[in-house]
Amino acid sequence: NDAQGRRILLKDDGTWRYLDAEAKPATAPAADVAAKPPATAELRLLQRTELSAGCSFTLVLSNTLPYEIRTLVPEFAILRSSGVVYTTQGVGFGPVKPGDSHQRDLRVVGIACQDIAKLKVQGGDRCDMGDLNKFSDAKGECLARVRVLASELISFEK
């Protein structure tokens, strides 16, 4: 036995092998699957533009999933530096085929870009992608399949 308690077979030619190694391959694939992160689409903030009566954000959803995103409508909470939510707006994406990207604009009226401290991505529970659809009762599962990429323009997160 070695220090971890595994049994070792020593052969006459000086080689050796673990005796328990034959039982391990059955569990090894499951461990590999667990270690591999789940596939996600990517949402990034491309641009921020000052408007005369507000602020506009350009968003890009890249479908890196193995299936089509037929519909996804996340909500964006627009927060002031105090942490207070100024407003919440939904932006619809779709259909987005695997490997494609869609660009959308989020226009916020009544607040200047400099007064917006954070965009928080939330909601989006009525998506239609993969095995999820508008009738799915899986709260948070739609956004769990979307990775929000950090931005240098503003704090942008889930």
Side-chain angles (χ1 to χ4, degrees):
N1 290 344
D2 69 358
Q4 287 80 29
R6 295 178 291 189
R7 292 180 21 177
I8 300 172
L9 173 66
L10 296 174
K11 298 180 184 178
D12 291 336
D13 63 358
T15 61
W16 59 274
R17 70 175 173 91
Y18 288 110
L19 288 175
D20 301 336
E22 291 139 12
K24 299 231 181 211
T27 59
D32 291 343
V33 170
K36 186 178 180 183
T40 57
E42 295 179 346
L43 180 63
R44 64 187 162 100
L45 179 59
L46 186 65
Q47 186 177 344
R48 177 177 63 176
T49 307
E50 191 75 44
L51 303 174
S52 61
C55 188
S56 176
F57 297 96
T58 302
L59 306 159
V60 177
L61 179 68
S62 299
N63 187 357
T64 53
L65 296 165
Y67 47 80
E68 181 179 21
I69 299 172
R70 291 176 290 281
T71 307
L72 175 64
V73 185
E75 292 179 351
F76 296 87
I78 293 87
L79 287 88
R80 296 179 181 269
S81 59
S82 63
V84 174
V85 175
Y86 176 76
T87 189
T88 303
Q89 293 182 26
V91 175
F93 294 91
V96 189
K97 295 186 185 295
D100 285 353
S101 296
H102 275 200
Q103 182 174 307
R104 298 288 186 260
D105 288 331
L106 167 65
R107 294 182 184 266
V108 184
V109 178
I111 186 170
C113 289
Q114 67 197 29
D115 296 329
I116 299 173
K118 180 190 288 187
L119 281 182
K120 186 172 181 180
V121 185
Q122 57 192 22
D125 288 323
R126 290 213 158 132
C127 68
D128 189 357
M129 55 197 240
D131 58 340
L132 298 173
N133 60 50
K134 64 183 179 179
F135 302 110
S136 299
D137 190 27
K139 198 146 184 79
E141 283 300 309
C142 295
L143 280 188
R145 297 180 188 193
V146 177
R147 184 166 49 116
V148 175
L149 303 177
S151 173
E152 294 179 7
L153 300 172
I154 192 171
S155 177
F156 185 56
E157 61 190 42
K158 281 193 210 179

